[in-house]
Each structure stands twice: as C-alpha cells, then as structure tokens.
Amino acid sequence: MEQTRAWLKQARSVAVLTGAGISAESGVPTFRGKQGLWKQYRPEELANADAFHRDPRLVWEWYNWRRSLIAKAHPNPGHYALADLASRIPNFTLISQNVDDLHEQAGSRDVLKVHGDIWQLRCLNCGRQHIDPRPALPEIPPHCHCGGLLRPGVVWFGEELPRHIWCKALQAARTAELFLVIGTSAVVYPAASLVHIAKRAGAHIVELNITETVITNDIDDFLAGPCGEILPKLIA
Ligand code: BV8
Ligand code: ZN
C-alpha cells in the first residue's frame, strides 16, 4: 500500500482499468463470481449476437434484469475514490469494462467504456442509437420507430470494441507511468491486453482484487481486498 501511495504521489500519468469487481460492493453481480448468474446461463452464452438473433426475448430478459439491478445500485467508496483521484493527477484515464454507469454517477468524466453502455439501445435496421434510462423496458424485445429491432448498446463476444474508444485506451496504456488494474478477472480480450501493453511500455502495474488472478504473477504490486475499502485508504 505504501509503495503504491508513493507512486501515486509522484506519477504524472495514471491509467486505470476496472472490471465488475468495482461494482460488486454496489450490489451489481460480477460475471464469473460465485453468486449464481441469472438462471442457468453463462454470460458468454447470452452476451453474443447469435444468442440474440436466436432468442432476442431471452437476451433482453437478461439485460432488463441487469438494468433493474443497476438502476437500484449506487456508487460505492471505490467509485468515489477513483473520481477523486482523477482530480489530483495531471493525466488520468479511467478505462472500464463495465457497462453500468456507476463511475459516471460518482463523478468520473470521460470514462472509456470499452464494452459499451447498458443504457444505450441501437437499432439493427437504421442504426439509430439512444439512451433509454428506464430500469426495465416495458416491451421486449423493443423496436425502433422504423420498426427495426433494438439491441443493447454493449459489445458482445465476437464483436469489435468501439474503435475510437479502444484507440484512446491503448494510448493511455502506452503512456501511463502507473497502471492500476482493479476488480477484473483479466480473462476478456482485448481489454486485458492493456495490462501487458502498459507493462511493456514500462509502467508500474498495481492490481487490486479480492483474489489473485491470471495476471497477478506478471504485475508489480498486489493489493488484496475489496475496492470499496482499499481505494479510499490508498488515496487518503
Ligand atoms: C473480440 C459486455 C473479435 C456485454 C463483455 C480465446 C482466448 C482468448 C480470447 C478469446 C478466446 N475466444 C474468444 C476470445 C475473444 C473474447 C474473449 O476474450 N473471450 C474470453 C471469455 C476468453 N473477446 C471478445 O469476443 C471481444 N471481441 O475479440 O472480437 C473481433 C476483432 C476485430 C474485429 C471483429 C471481431 C469482446 C469482448 C467483450 C465481451 N463483452 N461485456 C455485457 O456486459 O453484457 S465481457 C464481460 O466480461 C464484461 O464486460 C466484463 O466486464 C468482462 C470482464 O469481466 P470482469 O469485469 O473481469 O468481471 P469478472 O466477473 O470476470 O471478474 C470480477 C473480478 O472482480 C474477479 O477477479 C473478482 O475476484 C473481483 N472482485 C469481486 N468483488 C470484488 C473484486 N475485486 C475487488 N473488490 C471487490 N469487492
Ligand atoms: Zn431504426
């Protein structure tokens, strides 16, 4: 903790990659955690375009369930600590794999949402996209004014990450002196590759998690514990 605090004091450019673990203490289930996922499906079986084309209602039921949960969730001290940290570091970039808006609610700005946004809908027919903040959509699957089917504005498995956002995330990983990897199992690519890119570019890598992960051996410091407790202490 002390070493990471010392790095934070003198770092001019910091990049942070967060995953579902930072929203866990807000009551948003993680993907690969122990608590059962919705019904008997695994995320990889639902978060993909084929599942959606096969059964849009089933996939929308899953997203409606998650929207309702996220709508009830509030940012936790971990989200607020990162928003606070951003105001003290000259070059600070927050990259998140999460599709919830808890970082934004806690005051983080310009969050690079590499896997999209659960509140966004996109029309398969005319491509129009808009934010619909209603926790659960009344009619599923929802349709666009043009009659087209609407899908969640998230990145599914097998889909490309938003190019513009991904380029900015790469740039941040390449120029960071300090790279914090927080609450992610680091198994999803290409997001997880940001850690290796930052390391190759010479960044000091700190991982914050309640358990070790597949990248723990490759990083410099491991802070064990829940984000909601560790992050406020780190920036105090
Ligand atoms: C692409 C959005 C190609 C939707 C998501 C084989 C090998 C390697 C890669 C692949 C492969 N087969 C396929 C691939 C590629 C695939 C992939 O990586 N698969 C993995 C599963 C093997 N990737 C893709 O398909 C990507 N696209 O490659 O396209 C392409 C390229 C060019 C052109 C065209 C096509 C797209 C990936 C994005 C998928 N979308 N989500 C939605 O949310 O519904 S991924 C999903 O997993 C979420 O976004 C989530 O954020 C992400 C990562 O999960 P985590 O955030 O890490 O959450 P997890 O539950 O896993 O872990 C939580 C962690 O928190 C744990 O470590 C836990 O210990 C910790 N924790 C818990 N509580 C706390 C805590 N830590 C601290 N405090 C706590 N309190
Ligand atoms: Zn449309």
Side-chain angles (χ1 to χ4, degrees):
M1 175 81 92
E2 282 323 306
Q3 196 183 4
T4 306
R5 229 205 283 266
W7 270 93
L8 277 174
K9 277 205 188 90
Q10 51 85 30
R12 280 188 314 286
S13 63
V14 174
V16 178
L17 173 67
T18 60
I22 190 141
S23 297
E25 290 156 89
S26 297
V28 182
T30 59
F31 281 83
R32 297 165 186 87
K34 282 182 266 316
Q35 73 268 30
L37 253 299
W38 182 64
K39 291 188 181 166
Q40 73 280 14
Y41 297 96
R42 289 183 315 112
E44 288 79 3
E45 286 173 272
L46 285 171
N48 70 66
D50 299 341
F52 186 72
H53 290 307
R54 220 181 10 256
D55 190 344
R57 162 176 286 286
L58 174 70
V59 174
W60 262 114
E61 272 184 7
W62 186 48
Y63 280 95
N64 255 359
W65 173 69
R66 289 174 62 197
R67 287 164 64 105
S68 308
L69 268 187
I70 292 168
K72 286 197 282 283
H74 302 290
N76 65 60
H79 293 107
Y80 287 110
L82 288 178
D84 187 0
L85 185 61
S87 62
R88 308 190 199 173
I89 306 269
N91 300 316
F92 182 90
T93 309
L94 175 56
I95 305 157
S96 187
Q97 300 170 89
N98 299 342
V99 294
D100 66 46
D101 57 342
L102 296 179
H103 280 306
E104 293 84 352
Q105 283 185 43
S108 291
R109 295 153 42 95
D110 310 322
V111 180
L112 298 180
K113 301 176 83 70
V114 293
H115 290 161
D117 179 348
I118 199 165
W119 298 114
Q120 197 183 73
L121 307 180
R122 187 167 72 244
C123 177
L124 292 181
N125 181 42
C126 72
R128 197 174 78 84
Q129 42 192 24
H130 67 288
I131 296 280
D132 186 330
R134 289 176 293 177
L137 297 176
E139 172 232 357
I140 48 169
H143 287 83
C144 173
H145 305 314
C146 80
L149 188 57
L150 291 174
R151 59 163 282 176
V154 300
V155 178
W156 278 329
F157 288 101
E159 295 186 328
E160 196 173 357
L161 276 53
R163 212 168 291 189
H164 180 58
I165 293 176
W166 178 244
C167 289
K168 285 172 142 177
L170 274 178
Q171 176 66 13
R174 287 192 184 117
T175 54
E177 290 162 314
L178 177 66
F179 193 93
L180 305 180
V181 194
I182 300 173
T184 181
S185 59
V187 296
V188 173
Y189 280 81
S193 60
L194 292 169
V195 182
H196 314 300
I197 290 163
K199 186 172 169 64
R200 248 199 319 275
H204 182 77
I205 317 276
V206 179
E207 182 181 25
L208 198 171
N209 202 310
I210 51 174
T211 58
E212 298 205 346
T213 67
V214 291
I215 60 164
T216 306
N217 290 334
D218 307 335
I219 52 108
D220 301 298
D221 293 330
F222 182 79
L223 299 178
C227 302
E229 285 169 31
I230 302 269
L231 281 170
K233 282 190 195 127
L234 193 61
I235 69 153

